Amino acid sequence: MRGRRMKLRDTPSVSPALWRALPCPAAELRLELVLPSGQTFRWRESSPGAWTGVLGDTVWTLRQERDRLWYTVYGGEAGADTDRLLREYFQLDVGLRDLYRSWGAADPLFREAAKDFPGVRVLRQDPVECLLSFICTSNNHISRITAMIERLCRAFGRHLCHLDAQPFHAFPSLAALAGDDAEARLRALGFGYRAKFVSGTARAITEGLGVEGLHQLRTAPYAEARKVLCTLPGVGTKAEAVPVDTHVWRIARQRYGMELGGRSITPRAHQEIGDFFRGLWGPRAGWAQAVLFCADLHKGREPVVSQDRDKES
């Protein structure tokens, strides 16, 4: 595949770089399971087995073949820096097969559910994009969230290029989303009550924590990071290492027999469910939860990503 170039229509000024490859067995990563599973909303299957999307300020196409992760970028050169970005994005230094074995040994239910879904891993996304995207997930489905994020990027993000007449935009800057008219524009784009949370959080980060402070939360103790995030508009108790939404709540009750009172997710239930799964699966419990979510998604169900919007948000 090295050296092949993709055909582009209507964009003679934008060309793909030569294809490069990273070693990556399917047991460590499966693009068709990870990219459309609700972690990120910037990728689409542009041709069978090929995924095109935006990572950083660059448009990429990815595909897998013979234990290799192949990629090309548009409007730039592929090299050691792009290798590093891709490895960091997919966290390829984390050995997934060993984690699956550990989770399966501790949890026969996980072992059974995950046997047909290897290669599901958690992405290391830009914190600003990840935070603002997940504010949009409240009471929403993946397909609708994807369309919302596309509208958000087209309206507020910098245009990067067209591929096959499809425009690609960078994720908006905080400054763009913190503007005086941002909330009204977001409402006009169909964001509803989420509009004030997106613009309010962009403004709160700009005026307080700052982008650098948000990035530093990656290395902060869990409780401290959670406390800071929960002060932002639209972020509530779902800011968990094991994100507890109605989907996880149902899994806890139906598959694991947890006795949880009531018909909604209370703060106490949040804590109990999170503690249960962290105790069962260990430090990377959120990764194991992502595998079960993906398994349900590919069994013909599109779970609501986050249904219980916090009353105080």
Side-chain angles (χ1 to χ4, degrees), residues 234-289:
V235 180
T237 52
K238 292 180 291 297
E240 294 279 354
V242 179
V244 179
D245 56 13
T246 54
H247 174 68
V248 177
W249 184 71
R250 178 177 59 80
I251 288 176
R253 295 187 64 177
Q254 296 180 2
R255 296 188 187 177
Y256 291 88
M258 291 190 68
E259 295 293 334
L260 300 168
R263 296 183 178 181
S264 62
I265 308 176
T266 64
R268 180 178 177 180
H270 266 277
Q271 189 65 45
E272 289 179 354
I273 294 170
D275 288 346
F276 172 77
F277 284 121
R278 283 187 288 271
L280 179 64
W281 294 327
R284 294 191 184 272
W287 288 52
Q289 184 270 331

Side-chain angles (χ1 to χ4, degrees), residues 100-273:
Y100 269 65
R101 282 193 288 266
S102 175
W103 296 326
D107 179 5
L109 290 177
F110 173 90
R111 186 169 62 247
E112 178 63 24
K115 64 182 180 180
D116 295 325
F117 299 94
V120 177
R121 56 176 55 244
V122 172
L123 303 173
R124 186 176 178 85
Q125 302 181 67
D126 173 76
V128 171
E129 178 175 340
C130 185
L131 174 62
L132 295 178
S133 294
F134 272 82
I135 287 175
C136 299
T137 67
S138 177
N139 194 27
N140 226 339
H141 289 278
I142 292 172
S143 56
R144 187 163 180 260
I145 300 163
T146 300
M148 289 174 66
I149 298 300
E150 177 66 17
R151 294 196 299 273
L152 177 77
C153 294
R154 289 194 184 194
F156 292 91
R158 180 169 59 88
H159 177 259
L160 299 174
C161 67
H162 275 73
L163 302 181
D164 289 336
Q166 171 76 22
F168 287 85
H169 295 75
F171 196 83
S173 66
L174 287 174
L177 294 173
D180 292 339
D181 65 342
E183 181 179 341
R185 291 175 64 191
L186 287 167
R187 287 188 180 276
L189 291 172
F191 278 65
Y193 64 82
R194 305 171 192 87
K196 69 176 181 179
F197 295 148
V198 172
S199 61
T201 289
R203 192 173 303 113
I205 295 172
T206 301
E207 298 174 354
L209 184 64
V211 174
E212 185 61 31
L214 188 63
H215 278 261
Q216 289 174 355
L217 292 181
R218 282 176 164 175
T219 56
Y222 164 71
E224 177 185 332
R226 182 177 181 273
K227 181 179 179 180
V228 172
L229 290 173
C230 285
T231 65
L232 298 172
V235 180
T237 52
K238 292 180 291 297
E240 294 279 354
V242 179
V244 179
D245 56 13
T246 54
H247 174 68
V248 177
W249 184 71
R250 178 177 59 80
I251 288 176
R253 295 187 64 177
Q254 296 180 2
R255 296 188 187 177
Y256 291 88
M258 291 190 68
E259 295 293 334
L260 300 168
R263 296 183 178 181
S264 62
I265 308 176
T266 64
R268 180 178 177 180
H270 266 277
Q271 189 65 45
E272 289 179 354
I273 294 170

Side-chain angles (χ1 to χ4, degrees), residues 17-90:
L18 295 181
W19 287 86
R20 286 175 63 90
L22 300 174
C24 186
E28 292 293 330
L29 172 66
R30 286 179 58 185
L31 295 176
E32 77 277 14
L33 296 182
V34 174
L35 294 180
S37 67
Q39 291 189 54
T40 178
F41 308 99
R42 304 302 313 279
W43 298 89
R44 64 183 180 87
E45 194 172 17
S46 49
S47 62
W51 294 85
T52 299
V54 180
L55 172 54
D57 289 336
T58 303
V59 180
W60 306 59
T61 293
L62 315 175
R63 64 183 308 127
Q64 290 180 276
E65 186 176 301
R66 299 194 184 103
D67 288 342
R68 293 288 186 272
L69 173 59
W70 292 89
Y71 75 89
T72 189
V73 296
Y74 301 88
E77 294 296 326
D81 286 344
T82 48
D83 284 0
R84 176 184 55 80
L85 285 172
L86 209 56
R87 291 191 63 85
E88 290 179 355
Y89 183 66
F90 287 110

